[in-house]
Structures are given as structure tokens and as C-alpha cells.
Amino acid sequence: MSAKLRILLTGFGPFPGAPYNPTQPLVVRLAQLRRPALYDVEIASHVFPVTYAAVDRQLPEVLAKVKPDALLMFGLAARTPYLRVETRARNAVTMLWPDAANTRSRKRAIAASADAMMFGPHTARLLRAARLTGIDARSSRDAGAYLCNYLSWRAIEGVRAGGPRLAAFIHIPLLARSGAVRKKGFPRITLEELVDAGEAMLMEMVQLARKARRLR
């Protein structure tokens, strides 16, 4: 088994109402990073189709293949103008909006008789790392009831079952178009700003994963 630390980055493809999902280029850019601090780190990436079936099938597959020490996930929150570091996954799933395969959930809960599940105190450190880059980043207790929350729930289950030592989910906003002028009151985040914040959170996750590996 490789002695290198392994980090898995994930994003999502397009979905109804969002024909372009900026988590895809973000994950590609982060996976291509070459930094001295990453000399002993293997970074893998995966983009999920926005369907419940894909998450249920592909998440166990990619975790088994990569065997990551940490899982850093990104999703789009088109109605939020800032970056959100999610602190928990809710036991909720919408019955209103279909996924990209036009499938609707037939139940309002992911699991029977279960409360929300927390990612852990490391989310505060990711939030601080993002804010230090100057981006508008905030803590969130509500990951919604769509695929982002669903993936978060399944990822925390994976951590508890002995998979990755750490997992985190980051919601990103719609990005400013290239060359667009920022209007007062509408400070759209650019891809470059998002990559900077993503790199800072990735570096923090690497440090946290190194510590968790030593303690296990």
C-alpha cells in the first residue's frame, strides 16, 4: 500500500436549472495543483452525475478504488452569493425536484429514525482557511435536501464505517463570467478566487488528514 496521503476531490455535473456546474472546473484545477507541501500527497478527483442512483453506486466504488484519507466535496448553491462550509448533513431529501435522470425521491428522509449527522470540528478550520484568502465564506447548518445533502449523508456514513478519516462538503455560488464587471451589491466570486480558497481548504485538509493518520 502506498505510504502517500490520499485526498479525493469531488464535484457534480449539470442538473435541471444549472446547465453549467462550476464545481467541475474547480475540481480539475485543484487536482492539478503542484506544490512542495503536496510532495507526499496523491490527489484524485471524481465528478458525480446529479442522480441519487449515481451517488449510491459510484461513491462506494471510488472510495474502494482510491482509499482516500480525506474526502473534500464541492457542490453548487446557485441562490447563495458566498461560499458555504457545511457542518452537517440533514436526514432529509426533497420529493419536489427531480434529479438529472428525472427521478424523484419517494420519501422525505434518507434513513429511518435518524438525526442529522455532523461532519466534525474540522469544518471550522476549513472555514478559517477559506476566509484567510479574502473570500466571503460562512458556516452553514443546512445543506439543503437535494443531491449535495444526500452525498454529504452518504459520505459521513462512509467515514463512520471506517472509510476516509475526514469528509467535508463545500457549497459554492454561481461564478462571475469572464470579463464581467462587478455591480455594487452583487459581488460575484470569480473562478480564480474560488481556486485560491479551494487550495487553502485542500492544504488544511491535508494537514488534518496527516494528523488523523498519526493518531489512528
Side-chain angles (χ1 to χ4, degrees), residues 1-200:
M1 182 179 295
S2 172
K4 285 191 172 184
L5 201 73
R6 294 176 297 276
I7 308 294
L8 175 61
L9 307 174
T10 74
F12 277 111
F15 57 93
Y20 170 72
N21 194 325
T23 63
Q24 290 182 279
L26 172 63
V27 166
V28 169
R29 290 280 297 274
L30 293 178
Q32 293 173 344
L33 285 175
R34 298 296 181 267
R35 299 288 186 271
L38 298 175
Y39 76 96
D40 63 341
V41 178
E42 291 182 356
I43 301 176
S45 63
H46 183 79
V47 174
F48 290 100
V50 184
T51 72
Y52 299 104
V55 169
D56 284 338
R57 182 180 68 257
Q58 295 181 11
L59 180 61
E61 290 175 350
V62 73
L63 291 181
K65 178 181 178 180
V66 177
K67 293 182 174 60
D69 294 277
L71 174 59
L72 183 57
M73 303 167 285
F74 295 92
L76 174 64
R79 298 181 181 180
T80 304
Y82 49 84
L83 183 148
R84 284 166 34 196
V85 178
E86 300 298 340
T87 59
R88 64 178 190 159
R90 300 168 58 232
N91 187 20
V93 59
T94 181
M95 298 176 67
L96 299 177
W97 306 311
D99 63 16
N102 202 32
T103 299
R104 283 182 171 85
S105 175
R106 297 182 179 179
K107 54 185 180 180
R108 297 183 182 277
I110 301 172
S113 303
D115 295 325
M117 294 196 293
M118 306 299 292
F119 278 109
H122 59 279
T123 56
R125 292 186 54 174
L126 298 183
L127 177 63
R128 180 176 181 274
R131 283 177 170 172
L132 287 174
T133 70
I135 204 169
D136 185 358
R138 309 179 193 182
S139 179
S140 170
R141 288 176 49 82
D142 188 350
Y146 198 46
L147 265 295
C148 292
N149 181 72
Y150 189 77
L151 175 60
S152 295
W153 184 278
R154 295 303 187 204
I156 295 174
E157 284 183 333
V159 171
R160 294 185 175 186
R165 293 170 172 83
L166 299 164
F169 194 96
I170 313 299
H171 261 126
I172 68 170
L174 286 172
L175 304 182
R177 296 188 304 274
S178 178
V181 177
R182 294 188 181 189
K183 297 180 181 180
K184 186 176 182 180
F186 297 90
R188 282 280 183 89
I189 292 171
T190 67
L191 178 59
E192 295 306 317
E193 291 170 329
L194 191 58
V195 170
D196 287 344
E199 179 178 347

